[in-house]
Amino acid sequence: GPGRGPLYAELLRPEGPIVFELFDEVVRTVPPGRWNEPGPTLEWTLKDHVGHLARWFEEGAEVIDEHGRTAAWRGLADGLDAWNAREIAAARHLAPVEALGRFDAAHERLRAAAASMSPAQLASPEAGEWTYECLHGHVRAHLAMVGPWCARVGWRVDAPPSA
């Protein structure tokens, strides 16, 4: 609508932010049998990273919905590290397809929550943390962490070395 700038348009374009095209190319191409292997980062598997992002999308949507009812922004009561550790542990039982399903549903839920905000609301620093950061920055940061491992997973071991 009128008054919605490029950031707003990028957040809400129908196919999602460009970063999700990268996510599809880098993450979705890894065979499910590799998602529970150690390696993408020191303590987390690929499935852990995807589950973590999904949970942040859910949390972002919940915070935005709550803000719509109360006009207040809330933070994490127990701090970032404790929240992350608790949420990763809670999602470890998920199969890769379940983690991706949760990621997709939560991504859409956060996009809908962001779309419900006015341009003025979306421009606030707090909304930026829960929309732009979750839908762009956070995903980009995790792609940078898992990308090299995902690329190595796709290498053919029987291919001759290139000169």
Side-chain angles (χ1 to χ4, degrees), residues 111-161:
R111 281 186 70 248
S116 74
M117 301 176 76
S118 71
Q121 290 171 322
L122 192 64
S124 75
E126 298 86 359
E129 286 292 318
W130 291 109
T131 57
Y132 182 81
E133 181 55 28
C134 280
L135 289 173
H136 284 262
H138 199 189
V139 176
R140 286 183 192 275
H142 281 271
L143 283 173
M145 289 182 242
V146 304
W149 181 86
C150 292
R152 286 190 303 274
V153 164
W155 291 348
R156 287 186 41 207
V157 295
D158 61 345

Side-chain angles (χ1 to χ4, degrees), residues 58-132:
E58 292 167 350
E59 185 73 6
E62 291 165 13
V63 168
I64 291 169
D65 291 347
E66 185 177 303
H67 173 73
R69 293 188 307 275
T70 67
W73 292 103
R74 72 168 163 82
L76 302 174
D78 54 353
L80 182 63
D81 291 339
W83 190 93
N84 282 335
R86 183 184 65 244
E87 297 301 329
I88 286 295
R92 284 244 158 96
H93 71 282
L94 295 175
V97 70
E98 293 171 314
L100 268 177
R102 185 175 184 181
F103 177 93
D104 291 338
H107 170 234
E108 186 51 41
R109 184 172 170 216
L110 182 54
R111 281 186 70 248
S116 74
M117 301 176 76
S118 71
Q121 290 171 322
L122 192 64
S124 75
E126 298 86 359
E129 286 292 318
W130 291 109
T131 57
Y132 182 81

Side-chain angles (χ1 to χ4, degrees), residues 4 7-17 111-112 114-115 122 135:
R4 294 183 175 183
L7 170 60
Y8 197 92
E10 174 64 12
L11 280 171
L12 304 177
R13 62 190 199 117
E15 64 275 22
R111 281 186 70 248
L122 192 64
L135 289 173

Side-chain angles (χ1 to χ4, degrees), residues 35-47:
W35 279 50
N36 287 313
E37 291 180 10
T41 55
L42 188 59
E43 296 180 6
W44 289 8
T45 65
L46 182 61
K47 187 182 73 172

